Amino acid sequence: MNEIKNIETSVKSVFEINPKQLKHFSKFEKLLSELEKKELTQDVVFKINHEVEKVNTIRVARKENPVLLKKANERILKSLREDLKIVPKNYYTNLWLALGISSFGIPLGVVFGLSLNNMAFLGMGIPIGMALGIAIGKSLDNKAFQEGKSLNLEI
Protein backbone atom coordinates (compact mmCIF):
# COMPACT_ATOMS: atom_id res chain seq x y z
CA MET A 1 0.00 0.00 0.00
CA ASN A 2 1.38 3.41 -0.94
CA GLU A 3 1.69 6.11 1.67
CA ILE A 4 0.05 9.50 1.53
CA LYS A 5 2.54 12.32 1.04
CA ASN A 6 3.06 14.88 3.78
CA ILE A 7 2.45 18.58 3.50
CA GLU A 8 5.65 20.59 3.36
CA THR A 9 6.38 22.69 6.44
CA SER A 10 6.91 25.80 4.33
CA VAL A 11 3.26 25.59 3.27
CA LYS A 12 2.11 25.63 6.89
CA SER A 13 4.08 28.83 7.55
CA VAL A 14 2.22 30.50 4.66
CA PHE A 15 -1.11 29.73 6.33
CA GLU A 16 -0.03 30.76 9.82
CA ILE A 17 0.01 34.38 8.63
CA ASN A 18 -3.79 34.51 8.43
CA PRO A 19 -5.98 32.77 11.07
CA LYS A 20 -8.85 32.19 8.62
CA GLN A 21 -6.52 30.49 6.19
CA LEU A 22 -5.00 28.46 9.02
CA LYS A 23 -8.48 27.12 9.84
CA HIS A 24 -8.86 25.75 6.29
CA PHE A 25 -5.34 24.35 6.42
CA SER A 26 -6.04 22.61 9.75
CA LYS A 27 -9.13 20.93 8.23
CA PHE A 28 -7.01 19.70 5.34
CA GLU A 29 -4.34 18.37 7.71
CA LYS A 30 -6.96 16.62 9.84
CA LEU A 31 -8.43 14.96 6.74
CA LEU A 32 -5.00 13.64 5.77
CA SER A 33 -4.33 12.33 9.28
CA GLU A 34 -7.69 10.52 9.27
CA LEU A 35 -6.93 8.99 5.88
CA GLU A 36 -3.66 7.54 7.17
CA LYS A 37 -5.75 5.32 9.48
CA LYS A 38 -7.78 3.85 6.59
CA GLU A 39 -6.89 1.19 4.06
CA LEU A 40 -6.97 2.88 0.68
CA THR A 41 -6.49 1.62 -2.85
CA GLN A 42 -3.49 2.73 -4.86
CA ASP A 43 -5.73 4.72 -7.21
CA VAL A 44 -7.21 6.72 -4.33
CA VAL A 45 -3.79 7.26 -2.75
CA PHE A 46 -2.55 8.55 -6.12
CA LYS A 47 -5.44 11.05 -6.27
CA ILE A 48 -4.80 12.19 -2.69
CA ASN A 49 -1.07 12.61 -3.34
CA HIS A 50 -1.86 14.64 -6.44
CA GLU A 51 -3.99 17.02 -4.34
CA VAL A 52 -1.27 17.25 -1.67
CA GLU A 53 1.26 18.13 -4.36
CA LYS A 54 -1.03 20.93 -5.55
CA VAL A 55 -1.26 22.27 -1.99
CA ASN A 56 2.51 22.01 -1.60
CA THR A 57 2.96 24.42 -4.53
CA ILE A 58 1.51 27.26 -2.41
CA ARG A 59 4.39 29.54 -1.47
CA VAL A 60 2.82 32.95 -0.86
CA ALA A 61 -0.18 34.04 1.22
CA ARG A 62 -3.01 34.96 -1.15
CA LYS A 63 -6.75 35.39 -0.89
CA GLU A 64 -7.39 32.37 -3.11
CA ASN A 65 -5.40 29.91 -0.96
CA PRO A 66 -8.40 28.88 1.19
CA VAL A 67 -10.36 28.25 -2.00
CA LEU A 68 -7.59 25.98 -3.29
CA LEU A 69 -7.57 24.07 0.00
CA LYS A 70 -11.34 23.75 0.06
CA LYS A 71 -11.44 22.43 -3.51
CA ALA A 72 -8.63 19.97 -2.77
CA ASN A 73 -10.58 18.81 0.30
CA GLU A 74 -13.74 18.39 -1.77
CA ARG A 75 -11.95 16.45 -4.53
CA ILE A 76 -10.40 14.07 -2.00
CA LEU A 77 -13.72 13.49 -0.25
CA LYS A 78 -15.47 12.98 -3.59
CA SER A 79 -12.98 10.35 -4.71
CA LEU A 80 -13.28 8.59 -1.34
CA ARG A 81 -17.07 8.63 -1.58
CA GLU A 82 -17.18 7.40 -5.18
CA ASP A 83 -14.36 4.84 -5.09
CA LEU A 84 -14.45 3.42 -1.55
CA LYS A 85 -17.83 4.61 -0.16
CA ILE A 86 -15.98 6.36 2.71
CA VAL A 87 -17.81 9.44 3.98
CA PRO A 88 -17.30 12.02 6.75
CA LYS A 89 -19.28 11.89 9.97
CA ASN A 90 -22.97 12.92 9.57
CA TYR A 91 -22.67 13.00 5.77
CA TYR A 92 -25.88 11.06 5.16
CA THR A 93 -27.77 12.93 7.88
CA ASN A 94 -27.01 16.27 6.23
CA LEU A 95 -27.79 14.90 2.78
CA TRP A 96 -31.09 13.29 3.77
CA LEU A 97 -32.19 16.32 5.78
CA ALA A 98 -32.53 18.29 2.55
CA LEU A 99 -33.86 15.31 0.61
CA GLY A 100 -36.47 14.61 3.29
CA ILE A 101 -37.77 18.16 3.20
CA SER A 102 -37.93 18.29 -0.58
CA SER A 103 -39.10 14.77 -1.38
CA PHE A 104 -41.34 13.99 1.60
CA GLY A 105 -42.14 17.26 3.37
CA ILE A 106 -43.35 19.48 0.57
CA PRO A 107 -45.58 16.81 -1.06
CA LEU A 108 -47.06 15.97 2.36
CA GLY A 109 -47.70 19.67 2.96
CA VAL A 110 -49.50 19.93 -0.36
CA VAL A 111 -51.64 16.93 0.58
CA PHE A 112 -52.49 18.52 3.95
CA GLY A 113 -53.28 21.84 2.29
CA LEU A 114 -55.49 20.34 -0.40
CA SER A 115 -57.31 17.94 1.92
CA LEU A 116 -58.11 20.72 4.41
CA ASN A 117 -58.87 23.29 1.69
CA ASN A 118 -56.37 25.67 3.23
CA MET A 119 -52.89 25.99 1.72
CA ALA A 120 -51.69 27.55 4.97
CA PHE A 121 -51.13 23.94 6.09
CA LEU A 122 -48.42 23.55 3.43
CA GLY A 123 -45.79 24.15 6.12
CA MET A 124 -46.97 21.19 8.22
CA GLY A 125 -45.26 18.71 5.91
CA ILE A 126 -41.82 20.28 6.14
CA PRO A 127 -41.02 19.22 9.75
CA ILE A 128 -42.39 15.75 9.02
CA GLY A 129 -40.14 15.45 5.97
CA MET A 130 -37.23 16.80 7.95
CA ALA A 131 -37.73 14.18 10.67
CA LEU A 132 -38.00 11.39 8.09
CA GLY A 133 -34.86 12.61 6.33
CA ILE A 134 -32.88 12.81 9.56
CA ALA A 135 -34.00 9.31 10.56
CA ILE A 136 -32.97 7.82 7.20
CA GLY A 137 -29.67 9.70 7.24
CA LYS A 138 -28.83 8.64 10.80
CA SER A 139 -29.45 4.99 9.95
CA LEU A 140 -27.16 5.26 6.90
CA ASP A 141 -24.48 7.03 9.00
CA ASN A 142 -24.67 4.27 11.62
CA LYS A 143 -24.37 1.63 8.90
CA ALA A 144 -21.30 3.38 7.43
CA PHE A 145 -19.74 3.62 10.91
CA GLN A 146 -20.31 -0.08 11.62
CA GLU A 147 -18.75 -1.03 8.29
CA GLY A 148 -15.74 1.21 9.03
CA LYS A 149 -16.61 3.47 6.11
CA SER A 150 -16.81 6.76 8.01
CA LEU A 151 -14.14 9.32 8.82
CA ASN A 152 -13.90 10.83 12.27
CA LEU A 153 -14.37 14.40 11.07
CA GLU A 154 -17.28 16.60 10.08
CA ILE A 155 -17.38 18.70 6.97
Side-chain angles (χ1 to χ4, degrees), residues 119-132:
M119 289 310 283
F121 291 106
L122 180 71
M124 281 181 51
I126 292 174
I128 296 169
M130 187 170 62
L132 285 171

Side-chain angles (χ1 to χ4, degrees), residues 28-63:
F28 189 73
E29 267 188 325
K30 185 169 181 173
L31 173 63
L32 293 180
S33 68
E34 284 295 318
L35 292 177
E36 289 176 353
K37 300 173 189 174
K38 297 284 183 187
E39 280 192 39
L40 306 172
T41 63
Q42 287 181 340
D43 185 41
V44 172
V45 170
F46 177 76
K47 290 176 184 176
I48 293 168
N49 285 337
H50 181 69
E51 294 301 327
V52 171
E53 287 173 7
K54 284 182 185 177
V55 170
N56 283 337
T57 62
I58 297 171
R59 298 286 178 237
V60 181
R62 293 188 194 134
K63 285 183 178 180

Side-chain angles (χ1 to χ4, degrees), residues 12 20 47 71 92 100 125-126 139:
K12 187 172 185 174
K20 288 182 180 180
K47 290 176 184 176
K71 286 186 179 187
Y92 291 114
I126 292 174
S139 68

Side-chain angles (χ1 to χ4, degrees), residues 69-81:
L69 278 174
K70 190 174 181 182
K71 286 186 179 187
N73 232 351
E74 289 171 0
R75 284 190 292 263
I76 289 172
L77 289 171
K78 182 179 179 185
S79 69
L80 287 171
R81 187 174 59 248

Side-chain angles (χ1 to χ4, degrees), residues 91-105:
Y91 170 77
Y92 291 114
T93 303
N94 294 333
L95 176 69
W96 275 92
L97 172 71
L99 288 174
I101 290 171
S102 63
S103 61
F104 301 124

